[in-house]
Amino acid sequence: MRLLLPLLVIAGACPPECRCDSRRRVYCNDRGLRTFPSGIPQETQILYLQDNILESSSALNDGLMKLTELEALMIYKNRLTEIPAVNSASLRTLRLNTNRITRISENAFAKTASLRELILDDNLLTTSGISSVSFNGLSKISILSMNQNRFTEFPPELPGSLSALYLAQNQISFISKRSTTQLTNLTVLNLAENKLSDGSIEESTFANLRQLKELRLGHNFFSSVPNNLPRTLTELSLIANQIMTLKSACLKSFQSLRSLDIAHNRLRWVEQNAFDDLLALDRIDLSYNSWTCDCYTKNLVMFLQTSHSLSEINGDIRCGSESIALETITDDQLECETIKPNVSVDQNLATVQFSLLGKESPPMSNYKLHYNELSSNTSSSVLISPEENIQLQLSNGLWRFCILNDFLSPELSLDDCSKISIGLSASSVGPEVTEIAAVGPEAIMAIAIAIVSVVSIVVLVVFITCRRKQYSQMKYLSSTEPLYFVPKRFIPSQNGTKSNTKELTLDASKEFAVTLMLRQPPEDNRLYKVQSDASDVYDTGFSGSSRQDSSLFI
Ligand SMILES: *[C@@H]1O[C@H](CO)[C@@H](O)[C@H](O)[C@H]1NC(C)=O
Ligand SMILES: *[C@@H]1O[C@H](CO)[C@@H](O)[C@H](O)[C@H]1NC(C)=O
Ligand SMILES: *[C@@H]1O[C@H](CO)[C@@H](O)[C@H](O)[C@H]1NC(C)=O
């Protein structure tokens, strides 16, 4: 009987256009209601009024004020223009999405102190429609959703108890540091699809959010990862922004970050060690970016190849205009050209400049001009930017100028250098003067060998020339008159001891004076042809011809 009586009372009191159930729930949703139905039981805990055409009115407020045991009010998809009045200390959920609410009047929630979840998505709320006392009394609220409204700034004075705040699809372009100071318990913040850019967020605004774990900043206009994001983050989405570079500082110390989404940006470059601190990372999406296929992409490729711990790498990551998958790319496809400094010299004033020939350079690149006199050990360096002219007053000597990009290789590669002589006699200072200073032992050895070789060659050439001279004299003689062959044994020995052929040949001029023609075997491949008509007369012509028939050697 005790059980039955309340049931009968409730059943009896249910408005005809609604349905009431035994769990103190009343269903008046989707019934085309224009006015608040009368006769809703005072004990109602959950009231469904969504999908009607209710407008804000005092009748509505009066009706709702009677329901002092209300725990949840579903009044979304109506035509309300203000927050309806509710008087229930037990109200936990209030769903007001898809109405026409433009402002939250002061103390609108003064009588709903236990509210935990307030949904105001898809209304017409503006920054000026919220005042510092709008949320008075909400000391336990945990979830506040105001997606798809008309905020242009981060709403101020939000309750400090919030753990999740949704402000996606607004037009927020500014977040003041003050507006977030009290949000120390916030763990989830969604600011996707707003108008946030690099200058939108006051310095250390996010530092207030000491518990923040999940931050959604997708579909905004950031061109770099915002500074000072809380290092407590486990999930960060920056999808669809305009980020070009990942600097290592901006991802530093995110030791709890597990998911990072930077897909659909304009990423071209990753600074060295940018991902080093992401020790907990198990999901990263870097697809649909503008990665270059050059040395600046090496860091990324290396990261992707070595992070086997990543459970999921979304999308395929491609580089260059030909969209080469980084998965398949080889190191030699990821090179940058070396940069040579252009040095012009006017007496002792050197003007140094370099150009990237229209190529873009990453913001973290740091070009330095290193220069030194070759015979000195100490080198000086100075920062230099592309197209900048640096003037240096230098002493006479042979100087080396190198441009180094600290981002790429801290070591000096001589390929990147120009050597210029300054103040030396020849003012012919092409950009590539051969290095002659710094002569080591190997160089001395090489020079010695070269000198010996040259001397030998000269000696040989002189020797051969002499020989040829002799032969041409012989030829001259032979062409004018025939020489008569005198057998060797008839040649008179000039001093009795020198009677062999070699001696005769070496002293040919003397021998020819006695009309002698004698030849050695063809050490020079010279042949002496026997004339066919005179077996004892020799033609001493050089055997340039191919007629080698009946050649005879003595
Ligand atoms: C933040 O959370 C802690 C622990 O849940 C709670 O004690 C504290 O009151 C909360 N802060 C605010 C401002 O509600
Ligand atoms: C080198 O510098 C001179 C003078 O500044 C300029 O005329 C010349 O075009 C430069 N050459 C290159 C290759 O940049
Ligand atoms: C250059 O360094 C070497 C050893 O590193 C030293 O012996 C030499 O004296 C130095 N020369 C100059 C000109 O400083």
Side-chain angles (χ1 to χ4, degrees):
M1 196 62 191
R2 259 188 6 231
L3 271 171
L4 200 59
L5 191 63
L7 282 178
L8 285 174
V9 167
I10 288 167
C14 196
E17 56 270 70
C18 304
R19 179 172 68 86
C20 308
D21 74 6
S22 58
R23 294 177 298 167
R24 302 209 265 170
R25 298 178 181 189
V26 175
Y27 300 88
C28 310
N29 54 300
D30 205 4
R31 283 164 168 80
L33 299 178
R34 286 175 180 280
T35 54
F36 188 73
S38 60
I40 292 178
Q42 188 265 329
E43 305 85 351
T44 303
Q45 287 184 339
I46 304 181
L47 175 57
Y48 297 92
L49 277 169
Q50 74 270 23
D51 287 302
N52 284 298
I53 41 179
L54 295 169
E55 293 177 11
S56 294
S57 67
S58 52
L60 173 71
N61 288 344
D62 291 347
L64 286 172
M65 286 289 277
K66 289 181 189 144
L67 308 178
T68 52
E69 289 172 38
L70 215 51
E71 289 179 4
L73 173 59
M74 309 298 178
I75 193 165
Y76 51 89
K77 294 193 184 167
N78 277 281
R79 293 184 184 172
L80 305 184
T81 49
E82 8 178 291
I83 308 286
V86 180
N87 175 22
S88 167
S90 43
L91 190 75
R92 291 174 151 260
T93 298
L94 178 52
R95 300 211 173 150
L96 287 163
N97 45 304
T98 317
N99 277 285
R100 297 168 183 181
I101 301 169
T102 54
R103 54 188 296 273
I104 301 177
S105 55
E106 63 185 80
N107 302 320
F109 304 103
K111 291 177 174 150
T112 53
S114 297
L115 196 62
R116 302 290 157 93
E117 181 188 347
L118 173 59
I119 310 297
L120 283 162
D121 297 345
D122 190 16
N123 275 287
L124 305 170
L125 290 168
T126 59
T127 309
S128 58
I130 288 183
S131 77
S132 61
V133 286
S134 291
F135 296 101
N136 265 7
L138 294 180
S139 59
K140 293 180 178 160
I141 190 167
S142 160
I143 298 169
L144 173 56
S145 189
M146 301 194 287
N147 295 322
Q148 218 182 328
N149 275 279
R150 303 212 168 153
F151 292 109
T152 51
E153 284 182 28
F154 193 93
E157 315 279 350
L158 295 177
S161 56
L162 282 178
S163 70
L165 173 60
Y166 301 91
L167 285 165
Q169 289 182 279
N170 278 280
Q171 289 155 33
I172 298 173
S173 60
F174 182 66
I175 307 179
S176 71
K177 186 184 174 187
R178 209 170 57 83
S179 63
T180 59
T181 28
Q182 74 285 9
L183 297 175
T184 49
N185 275 359
L186 202 64
T187 58
V188 176
L189 175 57
N190 190 341
L191 284 164
E193 295 183 66
N194 276 284
K195 294 191 169 167
L196 296 169
S197 58
D198 294 347
S200 294
I201 301 170
E202 245 180 16
E203 190 67 20
S204 69
T205 292
F206 284 123
N208 296 321
L209 311 176
R210 290 192 291 273
Q211 303 286 327
L212 199 63
K213 301 245 182 305
E214 190 182 322
L215 177 59
R216 311 213 155 264
L217 294 171
H219 296 272
N220 277 285
F221 300 90
F222 291 106
S223 62
S224 62
V225 179
N227 284 333
N228 302 319
L229 294 180
R231 266 43 187 173
T232 47
L233 285 182
T234 59
E235 216 170 300
L236 173 60
S237 169
L238 283 160
I239 188 172
N241 276 276
Q242 298 171 0
I243 300 172
M244 292 179 78
T245 314
L246 285 183
K247 291 196 173 197
S248 64
C250 62
L251 295 178
K252 205 134 206 82
S253 314
F254 279 111
Q255 291 182 358
S256 312
L257 196 65
R258 287 167 38 210
S259 167
L260 177 61
D261 189 348
I262 322 185
H264 294 275
N265 274 272
R266 298 180 183 175
L267 282 172
R268 299 167 68 96
W269 304 298
V270 179
E271 197 172 1
Q272 221 127 16
N273 312 325
F275 300 114
D276 279 10
D277 280 358
L278 307 181
L279 301 174
L281 197 68
D282 65 13
R283 182 189 171 279
I284 187 168
D285 194 339
L286 297 166
S287 54
Y288 299 100
N289 276 289
S290 318
W291 301 108
T292 54
C293 294
D294 62 19
C295 53
Y296 295 104
T297 317
K298 275 186 182 167
N299 294 325
L300 176 64
V301 171
M302 210 181 317
F303 167 73
L304 295 175
Q305 283 170 352
T306 53
S307 26
H308 301 298
S309 57
L310 289 181
S311 59
E312 189 184 350
I313 295 179
N314 272 2
D316 61 345
I317 304 168
R318 295 172 174 275
C319 72
S321 50
E322 285 159 35
S323 291
I324 305 169
L326 287 192
E327 248 175 3
T328 64
I329 208 154
T330 54
D331 258 10
D332 56 353
Q333 286 173 285
L334 295 174
E335 291 301 330
C336 285
E337 286 159 32
T338 56
I339 299 163
K340 285 220 169 169
N342 178 6
V343 186
S344 52
V345 177
D346 183 9
Q347 290 176 342
N348 284 67
L349 186 69
T351 304
V352 188
Q353 176 237 39
F354 78 100
S355 165
L356 294 173
L357 305 170
K359 287 202 179 147
E360 245 176 310
S361 102
M364 61 268 189
S365 62
N366 191 26
Y367 296 100
K368 273 190 193 150
L369 167 66
H370 295 256
Y371 58 99
N372 67 303
E373 213 283 316
L374 283 178
S375 59
S376 130
N377 285 357
T378 52
S379 139
S380 312
S381 71
V382 58
L383 280 174
I384 183 170
S385 329
E387 316 294 347
E388 183 191 8
N389 280 325
I390 299 262
Q391 297 202 314
L392 303 165
Q393 191 75 40
L394 301 173
S395 60
N396 291 357
L398 189 57
W399 289 78
R400 177 161 57 207
F401 301 87
C402 314
I403 303 278
L404 281 189
N405 185 351
D406 283 356
F407 174 83
L408 295 175
S409 61
E411 318 94 49
L412 199 79
S413 156
L414 296 180
D415 290 348
D416 312 336
C417 302
S418 292
K419 284 168 213 117
I420 307 285
S421 75
I422 288 185
L424 299 183
S425 57
S427 60
S428 61
V429 280
E432 279 307 299
V433 176
T434 323
E435 184 173 354
I436 51 167
V439 181
E442 296 93 347
I444 293 171
M445 199 68 177
I447 290 170
I449 290 170
I451 291 172
V452 168
S453 309
V454 168
V455 168
S456 318
I457 289 168
V458 167
V459 166
L460 199 64
V461 166
V462 167
F463 176 75
I464 289 169
T465 313
C466 290
R467 292 280 303 265
R468 284 197 176 205
K469 204 172 167 190
Q470 292 165 0
Y471 293 139
S472 45
Q473 284 169 349
M474 285 162 62
K475 188 181 180 184
Y476 174 75
L477 289 171
S478 69
S479 63
T480 48
E481 51 180 301
L483 296 169
Y484 293 97
F485 172 67
V486 181
K488 182 180 156 189
R489 59 182 179 278
F490 295 131
I491 296 172
S493 171
Q494 288 195 334
N495 53 19
T497 56
K498 292 180 180 177
S499 61
N500 60 53
T501 337
K502 192 166 186 156
E503 294 296 330
L504 290 173
T505 313
L506 281 173
D507 201 1
S509 56
K510 289 177 188 161
E511 288 155 24
F512 284 123
V514 292
T515 68
L516 171 65
M517 171 55 214
L518 268 183
R519 287 311 322 145
Q520 266 200 291
E523 57 172 319
D524 297 317
N525 198 25
R526 291 168 196 156
L527 297 176
Y528 300 88
K529 283 160 274 169
V530 179
Q531 285 182 344
S532 54
D533 56 338
S535 62
D536 56 349
V537 175
Y538 284 72
D539 175 11
T540 58
F542 294 119
S543 67
S545 82
S546 57
R547 285 185 53 213
Q548 292 177 14
D549 48 311
S550 61
S551 296
L552 178 71
F553 303 110
I554 298 167

